[in-house]
Amino acid sequence: MGIVAGLIDEIGIVEQLNKKLGVDPREKVSSGVIVKAMLLNGLGFVSAPLYMFEKFFDGKATEHLLGEGIKAENLNDDRLGDVLDKLYEKGLSEIFLGISLQAAQKFEVKVETAHLDATSFHLDGKYESKEESLEPEAIEITYGYSRDHRPDLKQFVMNLICVGDGDIPVLMEIANGNQADKARFAGLLQEFREQWTFEGLCVADGALYSADNLKAMAGLKWLTRVPLSIKQAAALVDQKTQLQKSQIQGYTIAESSSEYGEVSQRWLLIESEQRRKSDLEKLSKKIEHKQKTCQQELQMLSTQDFACAADALAAAEKLSAKMVWHQLSGIEIVEKRHYDRAGKPAKDVVPKCISYRVAATIIAADDEISAQRTRCGRFILATNVLDSTHLSADDALRQYKGQQGVERGFRFLKDPLFFASSVFLKSPQRVAALGMIMALCLLVYNLGQRQLRQTLAQLAETIANQLGKPIATPTLRWVFQCFMAVHLVVFQGLPQIINLTQQRQHILRFFSTACRRYYLIPEPDS
C-alpha cells in the first residue's frame, strides 16, 4: 500500500481532485484523500467491497498513508457517497482526462498510438429505466450485449482509450448498458484527437469498422479489424491466396487494396499459425458434431412414411439442402406395401395402401469444408495509411497486437479480487463514478508497472520472480505480493517499518522517492 500511495502522490491525484471538487474546512477528510483511500482499497486485492470500506482500513496505517489525524472511522459510507456524487456532478470523463493528461506529462508517456475498446460490467439489483428515473442525464443501467456472458443482469459500459506506451489509459467514458459500439467509437476517437491534439494512429477492433464510421473518421489515421460479415472480407479469407512470411514469427501476410465505404484503404490478409492450429481443431469437432446431427435427422426421416414418391424425394432434398457441411448421397425412394394381415401375402392379394420411405447415406461436402479450412487462422486488418513506408504490414500487425493492452486492462478491472467486482450501489450516478475510480486504479497500476520496468531496463537490473529466477519485466501485482508482510509499528512514538528485508529494499530501489518515503527509507545525499 505504500507503493500505491506513493504512485498516487507522484501523479498528483489528491491535489487535482481537491482543486476540481473544492475543499470545505469543515471536512475532516478532503474529497481527494477519500478518492486516494478508494484507490488503496481497489488496489488492495483483498476483495473488500465498498460497504466494508471503513473496515478495510481497520488495522491499516491510515494516518501514515492518508494524512495526520485521519482515522478509519472518518472513511464511512456517507462520506464516500458524497464524494462519488461530487465526482459525477463535475464530469467523470473531464476529471479523468485532467488526471491522465498530467500523468502522461509527468511520466513522459509517449502518445503515438491510441487503442480503443469497450467492455460491460454487470450489476445485481434492480435499476430504474431512464423513463422512470428522476435524473434524465444519468447513465442507463440496463440490459445489453454482455461481454461477461450474463445477459440476465443489467449493466453499464466503459469505453477506454489506452496508449501503446505502457498501456496507460488516457480517456475514459461511462456509457449506457445498451451502447452500440459502432455508433459511438468514431465520435469518441474524434473527441480524443481534439482533447489530446493527437496525430497518431487509432487502433480498434471490428466494432469500429463500418461505412459510416470510415467517413466520420476523416482526418484520423486508423487501423482496425474488418468484420468477416462483410461479403468482400468473407470472400478474401476464403481465397487460396499466396501469403508472404512476416517478420513477426508465426504470421504470414498478403496485402491488397479496398474502396469499402468509398474510402481508400489497405487490406492486410493475415494468417496466424497458432490460431490456425486451434481453429482447425475446433472445426474438426464441429464437423464431427454436425455429422452426428445429420445422422440423427436422416434416421428420423428414414422411418417416416410418405404418400407418394415425389413427397419422399422432396423431403430428402430439403434435408440435404439444410445441411451445412454435409449432404445426402445415393438417395433411393423405397416402396412399402401395407396389407390387412401380417405375414407374407399371397400373389393375388391387393395391398391396402402403398407408402414410400427415403434411403440414403451422408457424405461430407468437401468444397464447403475446404473453404472453412482455408479461412482457419485468418483475419483482415484495414488502414487508411496508404504509404507502406509510413506503416508497413508488419508494423500494422504489431500495432494491432498492442490492442491486447486494453483487453488486459479490462481483465484487470474484472479480477475477482478487485474491490468493485462485488459492489452494489443503488444510484446510477454513483455506479458511474465508481467506474471512473476503477479506471483510475488501472491508471495508477499501469503507470507503476511501466515505471518499474523502465527503471529495471535503464539500470540493466532484475528482481526475482515467484520461482526465484531473475526477470526484468515483473508485474506490479507480483511486487505487491512480495510486500504483503510489511508493517508499520509505532513504539514509544517512534515509527518503524518491520519485515523490510533486503529483497524488498532491493525492489524499492526501482521506485520513486514518493514511494520509498512510505517505507521510511532515507534518501542518499545528492
Side-chain angles (χ1 to χ4, degrees):
M1 295 184 76
I3 293 172
V4 176
L7 289 167
I8 294 168
D9 295 347
E10 195 173 2
I11 296 167
I13 292 176
V14 173
E15 294 77 10
Q16 280 204 69
L17 288 176
N18 283 342
K19 185 178 180 181
K20 186 79 175 178
L21 304 181
V23 177
D24 189 332
R26 296 169 296 178
E27 296 171 345
K28 291 184 179 179
V29 186
S30 72
S31 298
V33 172
I34 290 289
V35 170
K36 181 179 181 180
M38 282 193 273
L39 298 177
L40 287 168
N41 186 2
L43 291 168
F45 293 106
V46 291
S47 191
L50 282 190
Y51 62 79
M52 294 179 64
F53 185 60
E54 183 179 334
K55 289 185 179 180
F56 173 80
F57 286 96
D58 283 345
K60 303 285 195 304
T62 308
E63 284 192 72
H64 186 65
L65 293 165
L66 299 177
E68 186 178 351
I70 297 176
K71 310 291 184 184
E73 55 265 28
N74 301 137
L75 309 171
N76 55 66
D77 55 356
D78 289 336
R79 185 74 184 103
L80 184 78
D82 290 342
V83 172
L84 290 174
D85 290 339
K86 282 184 179 180
L87 289 169
Y88 187 87
E89 289 166 9
K90 292 295 183 180
L92 302 174
S93 296
E94 293 78 5
I95 289 173
F96 187 86
L97 175 66
I99 293 172
S100 63
L101 276 167
Q102 180 167 306
Q105 185 177 7
K106 174 84 175 177
F107 286 77
E108 298 181 348
V109 177
K110 296 176 183 177
V111 187
E112 296 174 350
T113 56
H115 295 267
L116 168 64
D117 208 348
T119 195
S120 56
F121 293 88
H122 64 265
L123 300 116
D124 299 307
K126 295 180 179 180
Y127 290 87
E128 294 176 335
S129 66
K130 262 195 172 177
E131 290 75 16
E132 299 168 323
S133 174
L134 297 177
E135 298 286 346
E137 294 182 0
I139 62 161
E140 186 172 11
I141 298 172
T142 186
Y143 301 105
Y145 171 66
S146 175
R147 281 85 165 176
D148 300 330
H149 307 292
R150 289 301 306 269
D152 56 313
L153 296 176
K154 292 185 177 182
Q155 63 182 25
F156 68 90
V157 167
M158 178 187 290
N159 299 318
L160 199 66
I161 292 180
C162 294
V163 294
D165 182 12
D167 304 330
I168 307 302
V170 291
L171 185 143
M172 180 278 323
E173 180 182 69
I174 304 299
N176 296 338
N178 58 358
Q179 170 189 270
D181 294 349
K182 264 189 171 65
R184 180 63 187 126
F185 275 11
L188 199 62
L189 285 172
Q190 288 287 14
E191 290 172 21
F192 173 69
R193 180 193 183 193
E194 293 170 9
Q195 292 165 347
W196 282 79
T197 59
F198 179 73
E199 298 297 334
L201 184 69
C202 301
V203 186
D205 276 325
L208 179 65
Y209 196 89
S210 71
D212 291 340
N213 279 351
L214 297 187
K215 292 174 183 175
M217 289 190 293
L220 285 171
K221 291 186 287 186
W222 49 261
L223 170 70
T224 179
R225 190 164 180 157
V226 181
L228 297 186
S229 56
I230 294 173
K231 288 183 180 179
Q232 185 183 345
L236 182 58
V237 294
D238 288 343
Q239 288 178 9
K240 292 185 178 179
T241 309
Q242 185 68 35
L243 286 84
Q244 303 298 318
K245 194 171 183 179
S246 168
Q247 293 178 0
I248 303 172
Q249 189 174 0
Y251 289 90
T252 51
I253 303 176
E255 190 167 332
S256 60
S257 60
S258 173
E259 294 292 329
Y260 183 81
E262 299 179 356
V263 175
S264 298
Q265 56 201 275
R266 292 158 61 206
W267 275 20
L268 308 174
L269 174 62
I270 299 171
E271 185 173 293
S272 162
E273 183 182 327
Q274 186 177 356
R275 179 68 180 271
R276 178 169 174 78
K277 183 179 178 181
S278 173
D279 286 353
L280 284 171
E281 289 175 359
K282 291 176 184 177
L283 179 61
S284 295
K285 290 178 181 177
K286 282 183 180 179
I287 292 171
E288 186 179 346
H289 176 71
K290 289 283 187 185
Q291 186 168 4
K292 287 180 180 178
T293 303
C294 291
Q295 291 284 8
Q296 292 169 356
E297 291 175 339
L298 177 58
Q299 181 65 28
M300 291 177 62
L301 180 63
S302 64
T303 60
Q304 188 176 345
D305 291 318
F306 292 90
C308 66
D311 288 348
L313 181 61
E317 290 173 344
K318 183 179 179 181
L319 176 60
S320 186
K322 173 187 168 186
M323 296 176 180
V324 180
W325 297 329
H326 297 84
Q327 61 191 32
L328 295 184
S329 177
I331 299 173
E332 291 183 13
I333 307 303
V334 180
E335 183 182 282
K336 184 177 181 182
R337 296 169 180 260
H338 301 267
Y339 297 89
D340 288 328
R341 293 183 180 181
K344 187 176 181 180
K347 290 183 179 180
D348 57 344
V349 176
V350 178
K352 182 175 67 174
C353 65
I354 298 175
S355 65
Y356 299 87
R357 289 190 176 185
V358 174
T361 56
I362 293 173
I363 62 170
D366 292 332
D367 289 345
E368 290 290 333
I369 292 175
S370 177
Q372 288 296 318
R373 288 197 172 113
T374 299
R375 69 162 52 192
C376 282
R378 290 184 169 187
F379 60 96
I380 299 171
L381 297 181
T383 179
N384 66 338
V385 181
L386 302 180
D387 189 344
S388 60
T389 61
H390 293 160
L391 182 69
S392 69
D394 288 328
D395 287 339
L397 177 56
R398 285 191 191 93
Q399 295 293 359
Y400 183 73
K401 284 168 71 68
Q403 187 72 4
Q404 296 170 357
V406 193
E407 295 164 4
R408 280 193 297 269
F410 287 145
R411 286 197 298 273
F412 170 86
L413 294 177
K414 293 185 179 189
D415 190 293
L417 290 179
F418 194 77
F419 79 101
S421 63
S422 53
V423 165
F424 167 72
L425 293 171
K426 188 174 181 180
S427 159
Q429 292 88 342
R430 291 184 180 182
V431 169
L434 179 62
M436 194 271 285
I437 297 295
M438 293 163 66
L440 280 179
C441 282
L442 180 61
L443 175 69
V444 172
Y445 181 90
N446 281 2
L447 278 171
Q449 183 168 270
R450 174 183 176 274
Q451 183 185 65
L452 170 62
R453 291 177 175 182
Q454 278 193 343
T455 308
L456 286 169
Q458 289 166 3
L459 299 177
E461 291 269 14
T462 61
I463 67 172
N465 67 3
Q466 293 92 325
L467 301 176
K469 295 181 179 179
I471 52 170
T473 56
T475 65
L476 194 58
R477 185 166 191 164
W478 164 239
V479 171
F480 289 170
Q481 290 172 343
C482 292
F483 280 74
M484 289 298 285
V486 177
H487 300 286
L488 173 73
V489 173
V490 180
F491 181 68
Q492 294 182 346
L494 295 175
Q496 182 179 348
I497 303 294
I498 61 170
N499 291 335
L500 198 60
T501 62
Q502 285 188 344
Q503 179 206 18
R504 289 166 179 150
Q505 290 184 52
H506 172 71
I507 293 172
L508 285 172
R509 288 176 50 217
F510 310 114
F511 287 97
S512 66
T513 302
C515 295
R516 290 195 294 269
R517 75 178 183 86
Y518 283 96
Y519 297 90
L520 307 181
I521 296 176
E523 291 302 310
D525 295 332
S526 56

